[in-house]
Amino acid sequence: MPEFLKEKHEINAAQRGTAIHYVMQKIVPSVEPDSAYVAAFIKKLTENGELSEELAKAVDISKIVAFYKSELGERLLKSKKAVREAAFETQIPLSSFENYKNSNETILLQGIIDCYFEEEDGIVLIDYKSDYYRNADEMIQKYASQLKLYRYAIEKITGKKVKEAYIYAFFGNEAIRQGG
């Protein structure tokens, strides 16, 4: 746990986003959680020293509840295999990038995927975002490359097809599907 998540200080938007990501990483409900469940879970994180009181108060519980009430959240709950905060390291051909189509080189790609889960016909990728945005297209344009790289990494690591990729935007309580 990063030290700033444990310390007392004024909370900014980036820290709020990191706190909600942390809660989403740790919470693994077996049924659709309500506000009381999420509040109790966050309280447990603070009691265990994993989250400061200030950050715990900054997490909007209704946003987490809204995620699990969404179609995407319900699908995650039904999945028999879900992976949260999946760290990865893989080689990727530089030709995967628009400006390097003729390159024969590879680069090392490292990252952490917020969540993916398996359904019978493939993998569903979720990238949580807490940014302010005006519309779904803005989010897709902003994060299209990131989602493309995450798709590549998951497919290479698991050997399975990513059938759907989503940005779950907490700001608007919205699952935004990326094409393809």
Side-chain angles (χ1 to χ4, degrees):
M1 169 62 61
E3 284 301 314
F4 79 88
L5 289 179
K6 297 178 186 176
E7 298 171 359
K8 289 186 176 190
H9 49 69
E10 190 69 26
I11 306 301
N12 65 33
Q15 292 164 327
R16 260 190 211 91
T18 300
I20 199 164
H21 270 77
Y22 189 75
V23 172
M24 292 300 292
Q25 171 191 349
K26 295 293 184 176
I27 194 167
V28 185
S30 56
V31 296
E32 184 181 296
D34 59 14
S35 295
Y37 179 95
V38 176
F41 183 80
I42 291 171
K43 182 179 180 192
K44 181 180 162 192
L45 291 176
T46 60
E47 289 171 351
N48 292 343
E50 296 181 60
L51 203 59
S52 73
E53 294 275 339
E54 292 79 18
L55 278 174
K57 289 175 187 169
V59 174
D60 187 341
I61 291 169
S62 70
K63 300 283 186 192
I64 295 170
V65 172
F67 168 76
Y68 282 105
K69 286 183 183 266
S70 74
E71 179 187 343
L72 186 60
E74 289 174 357
R75 288 171 64 193
L76 172 60
L77 286 172
K78 289 177 186 170
S79 174
K80 290 180 178 36
K81 183 172 183 190
V83 180
R84 291 165 174 81
E85 291 296 302
F88 67 89
E89 181 176 297
T90 188
Q91 296 287 328
I92 184 169
L94 199 52
S95 60
S96 300
F97 298 95
E98 193 62 40
N99 295 337
Y100 301 94
K101 290 290 182 197
N102 298 323
S103 175
N104 294 325
E105 296 181 53
T106 60
I107 58 171
L108 179 65
L109 177 63
Q110 296 176 314
I112 299 175
I113 298 167
D114 291 335
C115 182
Y116 67 88
F117 62 92
E118 290 186 29
E119 293 181 325
E120 286 186 27
D121 57 342
I123 292 177
V124 178
L125 162 64
I126 307 171
D127 191 39
Y128 303 125
K129 298 296 181 193
S130 55
D131 314 25
Y132 165 80
Y133 64 100
R134 289 179 289 280
N135 58 57
D137 288 341
E138 176 185 342
M139 292 296 276
I140 290 297
Q141 287 176 356
K142 186 174 181 180
Y143 295 108
S145 295
Q146 180 183 5
L147 289 175
K148 179 181 177 183
L149 294 171
Y150 285 179
R151 277 177 181 266
Y152 179 88
I154 291 170
E155 289 176 355
K156 188 168 183 188
I157 292 164
T158 66
K160 296 178 181 177
K161 180 82 174 144
V162 173
K163 67 176 189 164
E164 297 170 33
Y166 292 89
I167 294 169
Y168 187 82
F170 285 102
F171 175 78
N173 296 331
E174 179 180 18
I176 303 167
R177 184 174 177 175
Q178 181 193 37

